[in-house]
Amino acid sequence: MLSRLGSFLQQALESREPTQDLLQSFVQHWRGVTQYYLENTDESRPARDTEIPWRLRQLIDILAFEEREPGSNGDTGNSGTAGHTGPCMEYLLQHKILETLCTLAKAEYPPGMRQQVLLFYSRLLSQVQRPLLHYLNVHRPVQKLIALSGDEIGITAQKEELHFLSSVCSKLEKDPSLLIHILEGENVREVLCSAGEDEGKMDSPNHKPRQNLFRALMRLCNCQKSRLTVRAREALLGVLRSAQEEGPARLIAQSDLKQLITERMCELHSGIPLTTHPCDITALEGTDWRTEPSTQEADAALRRFLCWVEYCNCLVRESNEVVAVSLAESLAEGYLRGILQPELLQVSELGILRSTAILTALIQRLTAYPLLHRLLTILLGEERGPESKSVRGSPLRTQIIQRCNHLSDEISLASLRLFEEILQVPQEFALHNLVIRNLETRMYLTGAQEEIRGHEGDNWEFTEELEEDPYFTDGFPDTGLRLKEKNTNSEAEPAGREQRVRSFLSLVPEEMKSSDSGYDTYLQDALVQFQSCCNLVSQWGWPISPRTLTVGHGGQEFYEGHFLEVLFDRLGGILDQPYEMNLQVTSLLGRLALFPHPHLQEFLLDPYISLVPGARSLFSVLVRVVADLAQRSLHVSRFQETLYLVRRQLLGDAPEEPLNHVTMCRGVVVLEEFCKEMAAAACVSQPPLAPN
C-alpha cells in the first residue's frame, strides 16, 4: 500500500513539472522497468502488483504527448508530423525497447508480464498516430509478439492479445501496404513486387509467407469467449475489406488464410450432431456471424456452423476479387468436394436427408458470386449444351435430380425444396443448366409451328372452339394488369393471351371442380413474382423473342432435360401423391413459368404449340392428368361431394374424418389451383414475340 501511495505521489509531482525534459522522464521510466529485474528477488510476485504497469503507461503517455505537442521537446516543432520523430520515439527505436519487451513477454517474468506487454503494444499503436509499422525495430518485435500467441501462456491473455491484434489490424486497414511488414516470411516482398507478373512464380512455396497474424486471428475466432470471437472476426474482415489494391490482395491470396478458413468449416461441419433432425437444419433462422451462440443452446453446434458459413460468405463478398476467388476455390475443393459431396452421394436415407438439408441451408445463405457459382458448378456440372436422354451429366447432378422422384417421400420433398432454393439464387447458370439449354433450339416444335405463329394474331381461328369458362366473363379484371396495346394489330396480342388463360381455366371440367372461385386471387401474387423474376434476370442477356425454328432439326430428338422430366413425371402422378408433394412440385413449376425467357414461357404457358412426336409440354401433361381423372371419377360414388369435403378439410373448415379416395381428391384440389396459377402466369407474363 505504501509503495502504491509513493508511486501516486511521484506521478502527481511529475505531472506538476511541465518544464521537465520529456526525454529525461522517458529514460527514467524505462530504467525503472529494467531496474526491477536487477533488484527484484520475488519471482512469484505478479506483474500487476509491481510498478511496471505504471511505468509502461507513463512511456505511452510521454510518446502521445510528444506527438501532440510539437516544440515541447526543444525540437523544431515538427515532431508531430509524418516523417519526423521526437527524441523519445527515437530513443524507443534506437534502443530496441520493443524487442526487449517482447523478450520479457516470452519469458513471462514476472508472472503476467505477457499481458502488460500486449497492453503496451496496443496503446502504442492506437494512441500514437504517426506510422510506425514500417520501422524495422517496430514491425519485427510485432511479428515476434504475434508469434507468441496460442501457447500455454497466451491462453490466459486472450483479451489482451485481441486488443493487440485489433490495434495491428486497425493500422493495416488504414494502410494495407503495411501488410508486407506484418506477414512474416523471407520472400514477402518478392510476392508483393511480383503482383501482375507470372502467376506460376506466385505459386512457388518460397513465395508463401508464414501466417502468424492470420493464425492468431483465426485462433481467437474459434475461442470459447463469444465477445472475443466476434471481435476477432471483425478485425480479420476489416483487413480483407481494406486490402483492395492488387499487391496486398495477392499477398493475402497466397497466404494460408484460405486453408485455415476451410479447415474451420470442415471442423464445424463435423461437429454437428448426427442426431440433428434435417428439418431443424433448414428451418433454423436468426443466425448471424456477429452473434456467437452460447454453448448452453441445444443447437449451438449447428448455429456455429451456419454462422461460420455466413462469415465466409461475407469475407468473399467484401474482399478483393483475387482474394475472393482464392477463398472460394479453397472452400469449394476442401469442404464442398472433400466433405459435403461424399455425404450427398451416400445411400443411407438419414445421411441423404441430413446432407441435403445442410446443402439447402448453404444455398439459403450464400450470396457472394464466386462462392455460390462454385457451389452450383459442383452440384450441376459445367455442361452448357442440350442434354441427352442416354447420357446423364455428373453423378452428383444426376443423383440430386433423380431424388426428386425417390421412393422415399421424405427424400423427394427435401430434394424438391433444395431446387426451390436453387431457382431463387441470382445465378443465370443454374436456370440455364437445369432448363434453358434444352429449349434453346426449340426442337420441341414441329416445322409447321412457324407458319402457325405467323397467324397468331388472327384471333386463333385455326384452333378448336374452347369450352366457355363461366368464371372468365369479365376478361381481365381491374387489378392493375391491363394489357398494353400496340399501335398496330392492337387486338391480336390480347386475344392470344386471353385464349391461353382460358385454356388453363377450362382444363378441369366443371363436374370435377371443388371451388367456384376464379383465378383473381393468384393475379397479384403472379405479378409480384413475375416482376421479381424480371429484375433478377435483367442482366442475364436473355432474348426477348424466340429464335427462328430450324425445319427438320437435323435429325436430333428433343429431350426436355432430366430436371423437367422428373417434374413432369411428378406432375403426372398428382392424383396418387401426398398433398405436400403435390404442393412442392406445382410450386417449382409455377416458379419456372414466371421466368421471362421466350422459350420457357412458350414451352410452359402456350397450350397451342405444335409438339414433335414424343415430346410433352406442361399443358399436355395436365391434359393427360385430367383424362385420367375423368376415368377414375366414374368409379367413385358421390365424387363431387367427397371433393368438396376434402377441400373444406384442407382449409380447416371440416373435421379430419377418414374419407375414401382422399389422396386423389387432394390431388384434384391441387390440380385445380395449379391451373388457376398457370392462368395467372399466362396473364401477367409477356407472350413471346414472333421471331424476325
Side-chain angles (χ1 to χ4, degrees):
M1 178 64 73
L2 290 176
S3 63
R4 292 187 181 182
L5 181 58
S7 298
F8 176 77
L9 292 174
Q10 182 180 358
Q11 179 183 9
L13 288 173
E14 290 178 354
S15 65
R16 294 181 181 181
E17 297 177 3
T19 59
Q20 182 182 13
D21 183 75
L22 284 182
L23 179 58
Q24 180 182 352
S25 179
F26 187 85
V27 174
Q28 177 186 352
H29 286 298
W30 173 240
R31 287 177 179 172
V33 174
T34 58
Q35 194 70 22
Y36 174 85
Y37 290 88
L38 298 176
E39 300 175 353
N40 180 59
T41 58
D42 185 4
E43 297 184 359
S44 63
R45 186 183 183 187
R48 64 175 180 271
D49 293 339
T50 70
E51 64 177 17
I52 291 178
W54 175 76
R55 294 284 187 185
L56 294 178
R57 284 198 298 270
Q58 294 305 304
L59 294 178
I60 294 297
D61 291 343
I62 291 173
L63 292 172
F65 181 80
E66 178 183 70
E67 184 179 49
R68 291 194 306 268
E69 301 294 333
S72 62
N73 311 301
D75 60 3
T76 59
N78 293 324
S79 64
T81 60
H84 294 80
T85 56
C88 298
M89 182 61 72
E90 288 288 348
Y91 186 91
L92 177 104
L93 298 174
Q94 292 177 6
H95 289 77
K96 299 183 178 180
I97 290 179
L98 297 180
E99 289 276 4
T100 303
L101 288 173
C102 187
T103 301
L104 298 177
K106 182 177 182 180
E108 182 63 353
Y109 175 69
M113 189 60 186
R114 172 86 57 93
Q115 293 168 299
Q116 301 303 323
V117 173
L118 287 169
L119 287 174
F120 178 83
Y121 274 71
S122 303
R123 290 164 179 160
L124 177 68
L125 293 173
S126 59
Q127 295 185 29
V128 176
Q129 300 303 311
R130 74 174 83 254
L132 293 177
L133 289 177
H134 63 284
Y135 290 114
L136 178 64
N137 288 340
V138 175
H139 68 251
R140 183 62 60 82
V142 166
Q143 289 177 344
K144 292 180 180 179
L145 192 58
I146 293 173
L148 293 178
S149 64
D151 59 10
E152 294 182 0
I153 300 174
I155 294 177
T156 62
Q158 286 183 334
K159 181 180 178 181
E160 292 78 10
E161 182 184 344
L162 178 60
H163 283 305
F164 164 60
L165 294 176
S166 298
S167 300
V168 174
C169 292
S170 178
K171 292 295 184 183
L172 297 178
E173 287 184 51
K174 295 177 181 178
D175 186 2
S177 65
L178 293 173
L179 275 167
I180 191 175
H181 303 298
I182 299 301
L183 298 185
E184 186 180 353
E186 295 181 358
N187 294 314
V188 172
R189 286 177 175 79
E190 287 83 347
V191 173
L192 189 62
C193 295
S194 64
E197 297 179 3
D198 184 9
E199 292 188 2
K201 296 181 180 179
M202 297 289 289
D203 294 330
S204 171
N206 295 330
H207 285 270
K208 291 185 177 181
R210 293 193 348 255
Q211 297 310 307
N212 288 326
L213 174 64
F214 292 148
R215 287 188 181 277
L217 286 172
M218 286 294 297
R219 192 177 297 110
L220 289 174
C221 284
N222 307 331
C223 73
Q224 298 299 317
K225 300 177 181 178
S226 58
R227 293 183 62 184
L228 300 185
T229 296
V230 174
R231 289 189 59 187
R233 291 176 182 175
E234 290 173 342
L236 177 59
L237 175 61
V239 174
L240 267 61
R241 180 190 288 133
S242 61
Q244 295 298 326
E245 295 182 0
E246 185 178 13
R250 285 191 175 273
L251 192 59
I252 295 173
Q254 292 300 311
S255 73
D256 293 334
L257 178 61
K258 52 183 178 289
Q259 285 89 354
L260 297 173
I261 290 175
T262 302
E263 289 170 4
R264 181 58 178 166
M265 179 83 88
C266 298
E267 178 185 347
L268 291 172
H269 175 97
S270 63
I272 302 175
L274 295 177
T275 55
T276 304
H277 197 282
C279 291
D280 294 336
I281 298 176
T282 54
L284 186 61
E285 297 179 350
T287 54
D288 185 352
W289 66 263
R290 296 179 182 85
T291 305
E292 183 70 4
S294 170
T295 55
Q296 283 74 33
E297 296 182 58
D299 56 358
L302 175 60
R303 285 187 175 275
R304 277 196 294 271
F305 170 74
L306 295 178
C307 285
W308 189 253
V309 170
E310 294 179 3
Y311 180 62
C312 292
N313 182 69
C314 188
L315 288 177
V316 174
R317 187 179 65 242
E318 298 289 337
S319 299
N320 174 279
E321 183 179 1
V322 174
V323 178
V325 169
S326 70
L327 287 175
E329 289 177 348
S330 178
L331 287 167
E333 294 302 316
Y335 172 67
L336 297 175
R337 286 194 190 277
I339 301 296
L340 190 57
Q341 179 171 304
E343 292 186 4
L344 287 167
L345 290 174
Q346 63 184 305
V347 295
S348 163
E349 182 171 341
L350 290 177
I352 292 173
L353 289 172
R354 183 176 183 271
S355 58
T356 302
I358 292 175
L359 177 58
T360 303
L362 287 177
I363 294 176
Q364 289 172 338
R365 287 163 173 81
L366 295 182
T367 58
Y369 176 82
L371 195 51
L372 183 56
H373 182 74
R374 278 161 180 77
L375 170 59
L376 293 175
T377 301
I378 291 174
L379 288 180
L380 305 178
E382 301 184 45
E383 299 84 2
R384 294 192 62 88
E387 295 180 63
S388 170
K389 194 166 188 176
S390 58
V391 180
R392 296 297 189 187
S394 67
L396 183 56
R397 180 184 189 274
T398 302
Q399 284 280 9
I400 60 176
I401 292 178
Q402 191 61 47
R403 285 173 184 163
C404 293
N405 200 6
H406 199 273
L407 291 176
S408 166
D409 289 341
E410 284 187 277
I411 291 179
S412 296
L413 281 170
S415 302
L416 289 168
R417 292 186 185 114
L418 168 65
F419 281 102
E420 187 171 34
E421 294 295 335
I422 291 177
L423 291 181
Q424 296 183 55
V425 300
Q427 290 267 338
E428 184 270 345
F429 166 77
L431 196 60
H432 183 277
N433 181 284
L434 291 171
V435 181
I436 301 297
R437 61 173 170 154
N438 301 304
L439 307 179
E440 282 187 317
T441 59
R442 299 175 72 203
M443 289 171 53
Y444 48 86
L445 300 177
T446 63
Q449 184 67 28
E450 288 295 270
E451 181 180 355
I452 294 175
R453 184 168 289 281
H455 298 286
E456 195 170 75
D458 299 337
N459 290 325
W460 299 86
E461 293 179 355
F462 62 91
T463 62
E464 296 179 0
E465 193 68 29
L466 294 171
E467 179 182 353
E468 286 291 334
D469 189 285
Y471 311 115
F472 193 83
T473 57
D474 298 328
F476 298 92
D478 188 12
T479 57
L481 302 175
R482 296 291 181 184
L483 301 174
K484 271 187 182 176
E485 295 187 355
K486 298 185 178 181
N487 292 332
T488 59
N489 200 15
S490 60
E491 297 181 357
E493 185 175 290
R497 189 185 315 214
E498 182 173 336
Q499 292 287 1
R500 294 187 181 97
V501 171
R502 185 175 297 162
S503 297
F504 282 106
L505 291 178
S506 60
L507 189 58
V508 179
E510 291 300 315
E511 61 273 14
M512 300 179 188
K513 290 182 177 179
S514 62
S515 171
D516 57 358
S517 63
Y519 76 118
D520 300 13
T521 55
Y522 288 97
L523 281 175
Q524 192 59 42
D525 288 342
L527 178 61
V528 171
Q529 293 185 43
F530 177 68
Q531 291 175 341
S532 174
C533 290
C534 289
N535 294 334
L536 182 65
V537 309
S538 59
Q539 304 299 321
W540 293 359
W542 275 359
I544 60 174
S545 60
R547 62 175 290 177
T548 303
L549 182 63
T550 302
V551 179
H553 308 312
Q556 298 179 358
E557 181 181 358
F558 170 70
Y559 176 49
E560 65 261 37
H562 195 191
F563 184 58
L564 278 182
E565 177 186 22
V566 170
L567 290 185
F568 283 174
D569 288 346
R570 273 296 187 187
L571 184 62
I574 197 172
L575 302 179
D576 302 303
Q577 295 171 163
Y579 179 67
E580 295 79 8
M581 186 79 66
N582 290 334
L583 291 179
Q584 199 64 52
V585 172
T586 54
S587 175
L588 266 175
L589 288 168
R591 173 76 178 174
L592 283 173
L594 288 169
F595 279 100
H597 192 289
H599 299 166
L600 186 57
Q601 292 192 342
E602 178 182 62
F603 188 66
L604 295 181
L605 296 178
D606 190 347
Y608 301 100
I609 55 176
S610 179
L611 296 170
V612 296
R616 55 181 179 172
S617 66
L618 175 63
F619 193 80
S620 70
V621 173
L622 291 174
V623 168
R624 292 187 181 95
V625 171
V626 172
D628 185 25
L629 173 60
Q631 291 294 324
R632 294 193 191 189
S633 64
L634 296 176
H635 305 284
V636 178
S637 61
R638 306 171 66 182
F639 171 71
Q640 196 160 41
E641 181 180 340
T642 304
L643 194 59
Y644 277 121
L645 187 55
V646 166
R647 174 177 283 274
R648 289 182 58 197
Q649 287 181 344
L650 293 174
L651 294 175
D653 295 335
E656 287 289 339
E657 58 183 82
L659 295 172
N660 294 326
H661 307 287
V662 64
T663 298
M664 184 183 74
C665 290
R666 287 178 176 177
V668 174
V669 172
V670 176
L671 173 66
E672 184 182 350
E673 297 303 312
F674 180 62
C675 288
K676 296 175 185 177
E677 185 180 351
M678 291 300 96
C683 178
V684 302
S685 302
Q686 296 296 328
L689 302 175
N692 295 328

